[in-house]
Amino acid sequence: MRTRPLKVALLGCGVVGSEVARIMTTHADDLTARIGAPVELAGVAVRRPSKVREGIDPALVTTDATALLKRGDIDVVIEVIGGIEPARTLITTAFENGASVVSANKALLAQDGAALHAAAEQHGLDLYYEAAVAGAIPLVRPMRESLAGDKINRVMGIVNGTTNFILDKMDSTGAGYQEALDEATALGYAEADPTADVEGYDAAAKAAILAGIAFHTRVRLDDVYREGMTEVSSADFASAKRMGCTIKLLAILERAADGQSVTARVHPAMIPLTHPLASVREAYNAVFVEAEAAGRLMFYGPGAGGSPTASAVLGDLVAVCRNKLAEATGPGESAYTQLPVSAMGEVVTRYHISLDVADKPGVLAQVATTFAEHGVSIDTVRQQGKDGEASLVVVTHRAPDAALSGTVEALRKLDTVRGVASIMRVEGE
Ligand code: HSE
């Protein structure tokens, strides 16, 4: 066994970084045995050096991340800072200085993954990022490596724990969105500003990364259609229950039936209670992968938090260190198919539409005609009337999203339609 240690620079020492450092220290012997050489924490770059960091030698702590990367002896950089800058520049500096990189940075990978992969390849180094998607759940490596011989056609997942916690609370207690969000905040699941989670940005970044891997094509954050879940109401859950469904914020990545394009989207959707994703409770994540030869696979586990995310980072660290010792690299970007990413209008799915209408003769016929005029076939209609007003719930057969949008626009213009209370896609059937 090699005795000269592999030197690791840790960029960021928050919830995840401090856990990575702790496990590197407490499991040092196991890591050494698994890698075939000792790994040494050579420096820890932080913003606030005065903060007490238990278990970390203060002599390793620096505020000058660039100098740490440029000192010339760093083998592997672990980036757990998050955000675009300075993380992007620091990762590039790491590659320029001969270090492979393990990153948990979904936003950066979703925005600039191609350029970072190119930089890694140019320098003959690794870029690993298991922790960027769904925390501890092994997903990137199984999709990049274990399924490399198969053809993935569809990925559908719950990749944001905060929103799953909120939706699960709304489902199980009948709470409204705000009440459930308040509980998520009190328990530390939601951040003080929950926008990135509840508006679907976090899930969209993960969706872009997964779509790129699944379809061997380049998918950026801007290619992902995104709708948040702040408008989901208790009434939507009541409707979902009547249909034997629940509501989840889903990331859905699909290869078109002709195989010539892909779609990537994040939005709330009804799914049947019999679907495996319906049973994913609290802040857990789960991803359902459909591959041609393998069939249906489900990956489940904690998608966030210090320890779970550190587990994924350390798995990557071991792999990258092994590659370094073997003077090899692991898989890089695979984007050879170069499939176009289609607009949301081309996605084909089912819809649940709730309308407030006047309760008088001919209204139902008028509504049904509007659907027919836009080529959207109705599956079921449920009406409940009271004092001259009625609520009408229409569930459609599969139709293109553009056709549904056209239908809704036309419905809004009807005098007899007082309002469109909610539109929700129905998935997983
Ligand atoms: N905020 C994310 C979540 C975890 O709730 O799942 C980090 O991506």
Side-chain angles (χ1 to χ4, degrees):
M1 180 178 306
R2 174 179 130 151
T3 50
R4 186 175 72 73
L6 287 147
K7 297 203 175 179
V8 177
L10 179 61
L11 309 183
C13 199
V15 179
V16 177
S18 54
E19 191 59 9
V20 167
R22 186 190 68 76
I23 298 174
M24 278 183 72
T25 310
T26 54
H27 292 37
D29 291 345
D30 285 326
L31 291 174
T32 301
R34 291 171 197 176
I35 290 167
V39 271
E40 176 188 309
L41 191 56
V44 183
V46 300
R47 257 185 320 174
R48 283 173 294 144
S50 51
K51 189 173 156 192
V52 177
R53 295 180 173 85
E54 209 179 311
I56 293 184
D57 178 357
L60 297 179
V61 175
T62 175
T63 52
D64 193 345
T66 306
L68 173 61
L69 300 180
K70 287 187 170 175
R71 65 184 225 184
D73 64 344
I74 300 297
D75 296 291
V76 182
V77 170
I78 296 175
E79 183 270 311
V80 282
I81 303 172
I84 305 299
E85 285 294 355
R88 175 170 48 196
T89 303
L90 292 173
I91 289 177
T92 308
T93 306
F95 290 140
E96 286 164 357
N97 287 273
S100 283
V101 173
V102 173
S103 173
N105 194 330
K106 63 205 155 247
L108 181 55
L109 282 150
Q111 184 176 305
D112 282 327
L116 296 177
H117 276 294
E121 195 174 335
Q122 185 196 339
H123 294 280
L125 296 161
D126 277 327
L127 171 63
Y128 275 44
Y129 46 90
E130 184 65 69
V133 184
I137 307 175
L139 188 60
V140 170
R141 189 113 26 99
M143 284 175 63
R144 262 207 322 183
E145 299 185 35
S146 318
L147 291 169
D150 206 335
K151 183 176 180 189
I152 296 175
N153 288 322
R154 195 161 193 269
V155 177
M156 180 157 95
I158 296 166
V159 292
N160 183 275
T162 306
T163 47
N164 200 54
F165 180 89
I166 295 170
L167 291 170
D168 183 38
K169 274 286 150 220
M170 291 174 75
D171 188 25
S172 57
T173 66
Y177 166 71
Q178 190 58 48
E179 195 187 331
L181 171 63
D182 289 346
E183 185 172 351
T185 311
L187 292 170
Y189 289 118
E191 293 180 31
D193 176 1
T195 310
D197 292 319
V198 300
E199 295 296 354
Y201 292 100
D202 175 85
K206 294 165 180 168
I209 295 169
L210 290 181
I213 298 170
F215 305 131
H216 300 269
T217 204
R218 224 163 249 169
V219 180
R220 299 183 72 227
L221 179 58
D222 294 347
D223 297 320
V224 181
Y225 173 83
R226 179 196 53 77
E227 264 175 45
M229 43 71 73
T230 57
E231 305 285 315
V232 177
S233 65
S234 332
D236 290 328
F237 272 101
S239 289
K241 279 204 173 103
R242 272 196 291 270
M243 284 180 59
C245 287
T246 186
I247 299 169
K248 297 290 187 188
L249 183 74
L250 298 177
I252 303 174
L253 323 168
E254 287 171 315
R255 192 189 289 277
D258 65 3
Q260 297 307 304
S261 61
V262 298
T263 51
R265 51 193 166 116
V266 167
H267 54 71
M270 293 185 183
I271 53 167
L273 292 170
T274 48
H275 193 282
L277 289 176
S279 58
V280 178
R281 306 283 313 267
E282 301 189 327
Y284 281 88
N285 284 195
V287 178
F288 202 69
V289 177
E290 297 178 35
E292 205 166 82
R296 295 173 164 185
L297 309 167
M298 177 133 136
F299 301 84
Y300 171 87
S307 274
T309 309
S311 164
V313 167
L314 285 152
D316 279 355
L317 176 67
V318 170
V320 166
C321 286
R322 286 174 178 158
N323 292 343
K324 276 257 169 194
L325 290 182
E327 296 181 2
T329 52
E333 186 189 30
S334 174
Y336 71 94
T337 64
Q338 297 188 26
L339 294 171
V341 185
S342 302
M344 185 61 192
E346 290 177 40
V347 164
V348 176
T349 189
R350 296 180 67 204
Y351 303 85
H352 175 286
I353 300 131
S354 238
L355 305 168
D356 295 324
V357 297
D359 194 3
K360 58 182 191 186
V363 172
L364 192 54
Q366 213 178 16
V367 167
T369 303
T370 307
F371 277 85
E373 281 169 355
H374 290 83
V376 180
S377 172
I378 293 174
D379 180 18
T380 59
V381 180
R382 199 183 65 245
Q383 181 178 327
Q384 204 167 19
K386 197 179 165 210
D387 303 333
E389 297 287 310
S391 92
L392 205 57
V393 174
V394 178
V395 180
T396 74
H397 286 296
R398 282 165 62 77
D401 211 80
L404 196 276
S405 302
T407 310
V408 171
E409 210 174 301
L411 287 170
R412 286 190 206 278
K413 288 186 188 142
L414 296 178
D415 290 344
T416 47
V417 174
R418 311 273 190 249
V420 179
S422 91
I423 307 164
M424 197 158 305
R425 297 173 185 90
V426 184
E427 302 286 343
E429 293 177 305

